[in-house]
Amino acid sequence: MKLLKERILKDGRAAGEGILKVDTFLNHQIDPELMEKIGEEFYEKFKDKKITKILTIEASGIAIAVFVAKAFGVPLVFAKKTLSKNMDGEILSTSVMSYTKGLVYIINVAKKFINKDDNILLIDDFLANGSALLGLAEIVQLGGADLAGAGIVIEKSYQPGRKRAEAAGIDVCSLVEIEEIKEGKVVFKEEN
Amino acid sequence: MKLLKERILKDGRAAGEGILKVDTFLNHQIDPELMEKIGEEFYEKFKDKKITKILTIEASGIAIAVFVAKAFGVPLVFAKKTLSKNMDGEILSTSVMSYTKGLVYIINVAKKFINKDDNILLIDDFLANGSALLGLAEIVQLGGADLAGAGIVIEKSYQPGRKRAEAAGIDVCSLVEIEEIKEGKVVFKEEN
């Protein structure tokens, strides 16, 4: 996605070996116009798949995924990292390792929102180690739904996420693939 | 907001004294069409206030606030409940008590996103005890920005949130005010 590459080059920040900061427009401060365009882009990629629901994980997936859901005209469900008193009924849960936060957390989705008639598209901001994506795919499987694929905004191709996701049979579509981040420079995959 | 009241009556669930569940369309499964209409409604309410930024708190505020941000054509910033390795630079922090989760957490916003030239609109899904709203208002103050007001989707008027927010000088605008939830029935304020 050309617009997104330009934005990464303009506002992203290579903050050391392998680390890209996009907190000015994607995962802390958020540009809603860009979110809408990303939503439309994922619609184009998956529009033939008869998607019934979008599934993401709190928090930074939500702003993106709600525009994807709008483009498809389907509901968004987000997996929660904590159980609140407001969650009741049967819960689908699995564990996810966060490398950036250095911990393992349990993600939870109310069973009533994942049904055997659903064909679900996963959405997330980053694909790095793939733990979040594999966790979401497991939630889909636990709920007996079909998994249509995964839409990722930024894939770090130098990390094992795609390999792990594909080994699990997940069709991964990334809007931008980054080959490496080196000496303060972001190198996109097809430029190599 | 008539549409929202109808949706609460149709899909909300009074789950015991004072408890309203809206997890099928607002804070776990999310209806993106409704989010867009809510965004437009808040724009109508605050359009004369020269809003420069929307501030909310993860996770359930984000899907609403990103559509408010889109309606205003300004960025959204969301306060984070955990510090990740991806946050650096100066951080504005304060503590917030969560009654539904039974804990106190620290909310964090990178200082670079809250500036003295900003006129900030707070957005959240619920106003109950007001702790989250007061925490967000404190972040605005710590950053030296102006606070234009707070847009709330559902206010529980039987809890002290509004009184506490107004005592702190916050202009609160709620799309729906609930007077009580009793014997499985939601009573809206103006029907009393």
Side-chain angles (χ1 to χ4, degrees), chain B residues 94-168:
Chain B
T94 189
S95 63
V96 167
M97 185 182 291
S98 167
Y99 291 84
T100 45
K101 294 188 178 171
L103 51 83
V104 173
Y105 50 85
I106 311 294
I107 61 171
N108 308 281
V109 176
K111 164 113 189 54
K112 64 184 172 185
F113 297 135
I114 309 285
N115 301 301
K116 65 176 176 44
D117 300 331
D118 277 323
N119 188 34
I120 294 179
L121 175 62
L122 307 179
I123 293 290
D124 211 357
D125 55 345
F126 273 96
L127 177 61
N129 285 287
S131 298
L133 204 58
L134 289 171
L136 290 175
E138 197 181 330
I139 294 284
V140 171
Q141 194 173 28
L142 288 171
D146 288 332
L147 181 59
I152 300 294
V153 179
I154 300 175
E155 176 184 330
K156 295 177 169 178
S157 303
Y158 51 93
Q159 288 190 260
R162 176 178 285 268
K163 193 170 275 182
R164 291 179 69 201
E166 288 181 347

Side-chain angles (χ1 to χ4, degrees), chain A residues 13 15 19-21 23-24 27-33 35-36 53 58-60 62-63 66-67 69-70 73-80 82-88 99-102 108-110 112-113, chain B residues 13 15 19-21 23-24 27-33 35-36 53 58-60 62-63 66-67 69-70 73-80 82-88 99-102 108-110 112-113:
Chain A
R13 193 160 51 86
I19 300 172
L20 174 66
K21 305 235 181 220
D23 60 353
T24 58
N27 55 17
H28 187 9
Q29 180 169 260
I30 291 164
D31 175 350
E33 296 286 333
M35 297 305 107
E36 184 166 51
K53 209 161 270 181
E58 63 169 303
S60 50
I62 296 174
V66 74
F67 277 102
K70 181 174 175 277
V74 302
L76 162 68
V77 175
F78 69 90
K80 302 194 176 204
T82 53
L83 280 173
S84 79
K85 289 183 189 168
N86 286 331
M87 267 184 105
D88 57 4
Y99 292 84
T100 45
K101 293 188 179 171
N108 307 281
V109 175
K112 64 184 173 187
F113 297 134
Chain B
R13 195 160 49 88
I19 299 171
L20 173 66
K21 303 233 184 225
D23 60 353
T24 58
N27 54 18
H28 187 10
Q29 180 169 260
I30 292 165
D31 176 350
E33 297 285 334
M35 297 306 106
E36 183 166 52
K53 210 161 268 180
E58 64 169 301
S60 50
I62 296 174
V66 73
F67 278 103
K70 180 173 175 280
V74 302
L76 162 67
V77 175
F78 70 89
K80 301 195 174 202
T82 53
L83 279 174
S84 79
K85 290 183 191 168
N86 286 330
M87 267 183 106
D88 57 4
Y99 291 84
T100 45
K101 294 188 178 171
N108 308 281
V109 176
K112 64 184 172 185
F113 297 135

